[in-house]
Amino acid sequence: MTIGNDALSQPLRQGEEQPFLVRSLGPREYALDYVQRLRGGEMGAIPGLLGLVVLVILFSFLQSGFLSAYNVENMVIDGAPTIIMAMGLVFVLLLGEIDLSAGTASGATAVLAAVLLVRHNVSWIVAALAAGLVGAIIGAFIGWLRAKVGIPSFVITLAAFLSFQGVTVILIGGGGSILVTDHTLLALESASISDYMPLWGGWVLLAVLVLGYAAVKFRTLTKRRSSGLATEPNEVALVKVAALAAGGALFVYYMGINRIVTHTFLTAGQTSEGVPWIVPFLLILLFALTFLLGRTRYGRHVYAVGGNDEAARRAGIRVDVVRVSVFVICSFLAALAGLVQMSAQAGVNSAQGGGNTLLLAVGAAVIGGTSLFGGRGRVIDAVIGGAVVEVISYGMSDLISGSNGPGWQLIITGIVLLVAAGFDAVSRRAGSRQ
């Protein structure tokens, strides 16, 4: 209930508490307050979102087929492993730590799953669980060395980065690669071109997504108002829901277009349409991890330790346990990313998880808005940053042909990462002056 100034001026009866003023901001006041927070250094995902919009518009003008349904599908499929790995790295970066081994850990766990599937004929469920369990054990060991032994995470994970490359080569053996034919795992990333959600399934998924987001959004606003906390106006919340609905509808419509004309190797009667199965998988991870960070005591502890670990310790938070846990989550999600990459490639090879795998994932998290200095970031940052990385990759690969194409992709991605880190540093300095 809103209490006016007249109520505050009335004398209190014995035993009554002083009421507090709750003032709901209108759209104009909210906009001014938001601008003030941006000037104070609370940039969040704004740079990443603006960069994504600018890049999409730029490449759309430069290439007529950049936003074709086939291209959009491939960006989603190819970007999924990077996004999943970046989700895990967000947890580590929130504590001001780094995990350089996430890429090669994803490769080693994926190769382990492939060996179990192909050479030992275990079910895909057992192979996937084994990969996830090994990933969690890797994270627990790295976290223990960091929290209990006190070795810097940079040193630990650099050593692990090198070691897991060796493990991958040993597990592969002399063959150099292992082909995976399990239909269930391959369907995750549409390695088999007929594996998509039914057309109606995409629209049902969108309806559940929009209605669920709206319900959570307005329930949160109602609870905050009843507790006397500042909230955004209903108009702003409605705009966010409408934007999600419009963007989602456009994506589902695009994925409903038959991309058969591009796949000339398909036989007559086959279709290539529908939302890839990796999309609901990503959404489940996004919602679960967002809930974990934003709605649980554990999430509050992660932010507290990332902001000031000594203050968190004095507040009774088990800092070492939190520190170990973020590495467990990171390595577990790296293992999931490895399985998804295996699905996209229909197999694994001796270079699995190497190369630029880790750097692109770290870049995705930072470009999306997660701070390298700890204490600031969200899981959605990984999705935004991952989208930026894929847009650059596809845009530059189509724009620049020849042997220099991959080099220019890396240069542009590096520049975008540097700009994102610069925004992070400047916003922190601006916030410290407030």
Side-chain angles (χ1 to χ4, degrees):
M1 181 179 67
T2 302
I3 302 175
N5 290 329
D6 291 340
L8 291 176
S9 63
Q10 297 298 322
L12 297 176
R13 297 187 180 91
Q14 186 175 4
E16 286 185 341
E17 295 183 357
Q18 173 71 51
F20 54 88
L21 178 65
V22 180
R23 185 170 63 88
S24 298
L25 297 177
R28 182 176 180 278
E29 293 171 307
Y30 178 82
L32 292 174
D33 178 70
Y34 186 71
V35 171
Q36 186 62 34
R37 284 187 280 125
L38 287 178
R39 294 176 60 185
E42 298 182 31
M43 302 292 289
I46 295 299
L49 284 171
L50 289 178
L52 178 62
V53 171
V54 170
L55 288 169
V56 168
I57 294 174
L58 175 63
F59 288 128
S60 298
F61 276 108
L62 294 175
Q63 306 170 40
S64 59
F66 177 73
L67 286 181
S68 66
Y70 178 66
N71 229 25
V72 172
E73 174 199 358
N74 279 339
M75 282 191 280
V76 171
I77 290 175
D78 290 347
T82 299
I83 290 173
I84 295 171
M85 191 179 298
M87 287 178 176
L89 286 164
V90 166
F91 283 79
V92 173
L93 292 173
L94 280 173
L95 265 61
E97 305 284 357
I98 189 65
D99 187 352
L100 300 178
S101 68
T104 53
S106 74
T109 51
V111 170
L112 171 64
V115 168
L116 292 175
L117 278 168
V118 177
R119 297 178 183 172
H120 300 279
N121 297 316
V122 304
S123 70
W124 71 268
I125 297 178
V126 174
L129 288 176
L133 178 61
V134 170
I137 292 172
I138 289 171
F141 182 64
I142 292 173
W144 178 80
L145 289 175
R146 173 65 186 95
K148 299 299 184 181
V149 181
I151 306 174
S153 58
F154 179 88
V155 177
I156 302 168
T157 56
L158 178 59
F161 167 84
L162 298 172
S163 300
F164 292 141
Q165 284 184 317
V167 170
T168 298
V169 172
I170 292 171
L171 287 175
I172 286 285
S177 64
I178 300 175
L179 297 179
V180 175
T181 58
D182 184 87
H183 182 81
T184 303
L185 283 179
L186 295 184
L188 187 61
E189 280 270 80
S190 296
S192 172
I193 203 61
S194 61
D195 286 320
Y196 299 96
M197 296 181 67
L199 295 181
W200 60 265
W203 292 108
V204 170
L205 177 66
L206 175 63
V208 172
L209 174 64
V210 173
L211 292 176
Y213 176 74
V216 171
K217 189 71 174 175
F218 287 103
R219 181 174 179 270
T220 301
L221 293 180
T222 301
K223 289 182 66 176
R224 288 181 64 87
R225 290 192 181 108
S226 65
S227 301
L229 300 174
T231 60
E232 65 184 16
N234 286 335
E235 294 87 344
V236 175
L238 285 171
V239 168
K240 291 181 178 180
V241 173
L244 175 63
L250 182 61
F251 175 76
V252 173
Y253 169 77
Y254 249 54
M255 293 298 96
I257 298 174
N258 188 3
R259 281 89 71 188
I260 191 70
V261 291
T262 312
H263 303 297
T264 55
F265 57 86
L266 294 179
T267 59
Q270 285 184 293
T271 59
S272 173
E273 58 188 17
V275 175
W277 282 108
I278 192 62
V279 172
F281 184 75
L282 286 174
L283 289 175
I284 291 171
L285 283 178
L286 175 62
F287 291 146
L289 296 173
T290 299
F291 179 84
L292 181 64
L293 267 184
R295 302 276 180 167
T296 65
R297 177 181 296 180
Y298 170 76
R300 292 191 292 272
H301 288 179
V302 170
Y303 283 110
V305 174
N308 189 321
D309 59 352
E310 183 58 34
R313 184 177 287 105
R314 294 182 180 182
I317 296 175
R318 301 175 66 184
V319 173
D320 287 350
V321 173
V322 172
R323 200 174 299 281
V324 172
S325 69
V326 297
F327 283 101
V328 172
I329 292 172
C330 181
S331 294
F332 175 76
L333 289 173
L336 288 186
L339 292 174
V340 171
Q341 185 66 46
M342 179 179 72
S343 172
Q345 298 174 176
V348 293
N349 56 64
S350 57
Q352 198 78 13
N356 301 314
T357 302
L358 169 74
L359 299 180
L360 292 178
V362 173
V366 176
I367 291 169
T370 298
S371 175
L372 287 166
F373 303 101
R376 185 183 299 173
R378 300 174 301 166
V379 180
I380 190 65
D381 296 343
V383 180
I384 297 171
V388 172
V389 168
E390 283 305 308
V391 166
I392 292 173
S393 176
Y394 269 78
M396 295 301 296
S397 64
D398 291 339
L399 190 62
I400 301 178
S401 58
S403 59
N404 290 330
W408 281 109
Q409 293 176 36
L410 294 175
I411 290 173
I412 299 300
T413 304
I415 292 173
V416 172
L417 174 58
L418 182 61
V419 171
F423 270 113
D424 181 27
V426 170
S427 65
R428 278 195 170 267
R429 189 160 55 235
S432 66
R433 290 197 296 263
Q434 297 296 312

